[in-house]
Amino acid sequence: MAVYKEKNGKWYCQFMINGQRVHKLLDGADDITKAKKLEDAERYRIRLIQGGLLKEEKRYKLEFMANRYKERSKLLASYNDSVHQADEWLQFFGKNKDIKNIKPSDIEAFIRHLKERGLKNGSVNRRIAGLKRAYNIMIEDELINYNPVKKIKMLEDEGRRYRYLTREEWERFKKELSPVALAIVSVALLTGFRSRNVLHLRWEQIDLNLRTIELLKSENKGKKYIKIAISDALYNLLMTLNPKKSGYVFINPKTNQPFTSIKTAFNGALRRAGITDFHFHDLRRTVGTWLLTSGVDIRTVQSILAHSDVRTTERYLALTSEQNIKAMSVLNSYV
């Protein structure tokens, strides 16, 4: 039989044309009528190719595109997020899925799946943006010419989180961190660097004589060169870490490689300190908030955090309840 249905519920076709055996998944077929139509279309396509009237198009599996996306993301600060995103596509669509058979309706189903998992709109949008970039990489490499994600409308932003550590929370938190985790978190708070930049910080980037740390464009998510001053607290901390001429500042003793994450130690300390709804990236928001509420001008904070748009920095100016009350009390004398 040329068209048949497997136990997995999917339809396939199998036939011979001029000595060429064809065995193909009829992607999109949900009944025998549609399966036969797709089989007829496949027979017609192969006849055109055999007659030299149509150039056979190379097909690419999702796994191929995902690996290409991961490779291109290696130098990005968000590399770990990119890997996680790609793994989510593979799990949902299947690694052997032909990328040209992923339709906008399939991507909409993926979005519904993410929402059912409880992800917020912003998190969903980042995953869809990653998938769009993966297709664009394939287009740039002249492997395909179609991006189905372009037809997908991003979800409306539900509003950003503005979580940061209060001074009191930080005092509780640091008491629960292991010495290594405390050093890593402290460097994050004393530099404003993203997690990957802290975990992969190298001694070559640090000049203890001039008391500066630099990030090259390739190391920074915003593709900007950054040089920040080393404060007294940061200098004293770095001196306790056995400074070297080269190599990573933080080495995982279990792997003898730089840490890829300290999530277990980080979350465990938060739990013991009674702190909820806080992530490593919120340390950057903490730095921005502490600086701004201490009177540092917003342009300086923008430069330290390497924000391309000052409006991003303005989001970090999240006032505490106490500060709000103090600010609003100024109006008492006017009413």
Side-chain angles (χ1 to χ4, degrees):
M1 187 175 180
V3 172
Y4 64 96
K5 185 178 182 180
E6 284 282 14
K7 291 181 180 179
N8 59 11
K10 296 181 179 180
W11 288 87
Y12 296 81
C13 65
Q14 185 171 333
F15 52 82
M16 292 277 291
I17 294 184
N18 298 328
Q20 179 181 345
R21 179 178 294 278
V22 177
H23 185 204
K24 181 178 175 63
L25 167 68
L26 298 172
D27 199 22
D30 49 18
D31 57 41
I32 191 167
T33 301
K34 195 167 185 179
K36 285 183 176 180
K37 286 183 179 180
L38 290 171
E39 182 217 10
D40 289 341
E42 183 62 16
R43 285 177 181 272
Y44 180 67
R45 187 183 72 85
I46 291 174
R47 287 194 184 98
L48 290 177
I49 292 172
Q50 290 179 342
L53 299 175
L54 179 67
K55 185 178 179 181
E56 185 167 14
E57 197 172 24
K58 190 168 182 180
R59 318 292 284 191
Y60 297 97
K61 294 180 180 180
L62 181 59
E63 185 177 34
F64 177 86
M65 184 172 77
N67 289 337
R68 211 173 187 86
Y69 173 73
K70 291 177 184 179
E71 184 65 29
R72 294 290 183 86
S73 302
K74 275 188 174 179
L75 295 179
L76 300 179
S78 56
Y79 172 66
N80 290 337
D81 291 335
S82 299
V83 171
H84 179 65
Q85 288 175 3
D87 289 342
E88 285 184 319
W89 312 332
L90 294 172
Q91 185 176 5
F92 182 81
F93 296 108
K95 66 179 183 179
N96 293 321
K97 181 78 170 180
D98 187 330
I99 62 173
K100 288 203 170 182
N101 288 335
I102 297 179
K103 303 175 180 64
S105 58
D106 298 320
I107 299 170
E108 295 285 2
F110 179 52
I111 291 174
R112 289 194 297 273
H113 165 73
L114 294 174
K115 290 297 294 180
E116 287 169 2
R117 282 174 44 196
L119 270 67
K120 294 185 177 180
N121 288 358
S123 297
V124 173
N125 287 342
R126 283 191 291 276
R127 285 158 172 78
I128 300 307
L131 183 59
K132 184 176 182 179
R133 177 172 173 264
Y135 270 99
N136 283 338
I137 288 172
M138 297 290 286
I139 292 172
E140 290 167 8
D141 293 344
E142 299 183 350
L143 300 176
I144 59 174
N145 57 13
Y146 170 66
N147 188 339
V149 192
K150 283 187 175 181
K151 296 185 177 181
I152 301 299
K153 185 178 180 181
M154 291 293 187
L155 302 180
E156 185 176 350
D157 197 341
E158 298 168 324
R160 294 178 178 270
R161 293 172 63 258
Y162 296 110
R163 184 69 167 95
Y164 66 98
L165 283 177
T166 65
R167 298 282 182 159
E168 186 272 333
E169 284 178 324
W170 168 235
E171 291 301 321
R172 297 200 327 258
F173 184 37
K174 67 183 182 182
K175 290 177 182 177
E176 301 297 339
L177 288 164
S178 67
V180 173
L182 176 59
I184 291 172
V185 171
S186 296
V187 168
L189 285 173
L190 291 168
T191 60
F193 287 172
R194 294 177 174 86
S195 61
R196 180 174 171 81
N197 297 134
V198 175
L199 297 175
H200 287 198
L201 184 64
R202 301 180 65 90
W203 288 109
E204 297 96 310
Q205 298 170 246
I206 302 170
D207 190 325
L208 291 173
N209 293 321
L210 295 178
R211 295 179 66 143
T212 59
I213 300 180
E214 64 176 8
L215 285 183
L216 301 179
K217 289 182 179 181
S218 61
E219 298 167 328
N220 178 31
K221 180 181 178 182
K223 297 299 181 183
K224 284 185 174 183
Y225 171 77
I226 302 173
K227 179 179 281 189
I228 66 165
I230 295 177
S231 65
D232 290 342
L234 180 55
Y235 179 85
N236 293 335
L237 172 59
L238 292 171
M239 292 302 291
T240 68
L241 298 176
N242 190 22
K244 302 178 180 64
K245 290 185 177 180
S246 63
Y248 291 104
V249 175
F250 299 109
I251 295 290
N252 187 336
K254 294 181 180 179
T255 63
N256 205 32
Q257 296 293 323
F259 287 92
T260 57
S261 170
I262 60 164
K263 190 173 183 179
T264 301
F266 189 86
N267 289 343
L270 287 172
R271 186 173 58 255
R272 291 189 295 274
I275 298 171
T276 59
D277 187 31
F278 193 82
H279 310 291
F280 196 101
H281 188 75
D282 293 327
L283 294 172
R284 271 174 64 81
R285 186 170 292 114
T286 299
V287 173
T289 302
W290 285 359
L291 290 174
L292 288 167
T293 55
S294 295
V296 178
D297 71 274
I298 196 166
R299 291 294 179 181
T300 300
V301 177
Q302 178 190 6
S303 175
I304 291 171
L305 297 178
H307 289 154
S308 299
D309 192 329
V310 72
R311 287 175 294 183
T312 304
T313 315
E314 288 172 348
R315 296 188 188 119
Y316 288 14
L317 188 52
L319 299 178
T320 64
S321 297
E322 182 181 347
Q323 289 167 323
N324 265 314
I325 294 170
K326 184 177 179 181
M328 295 305 291
S329 65
V330 172
L331 299 176
N332 290 341
S333 60
Y334 291 89
V335 179

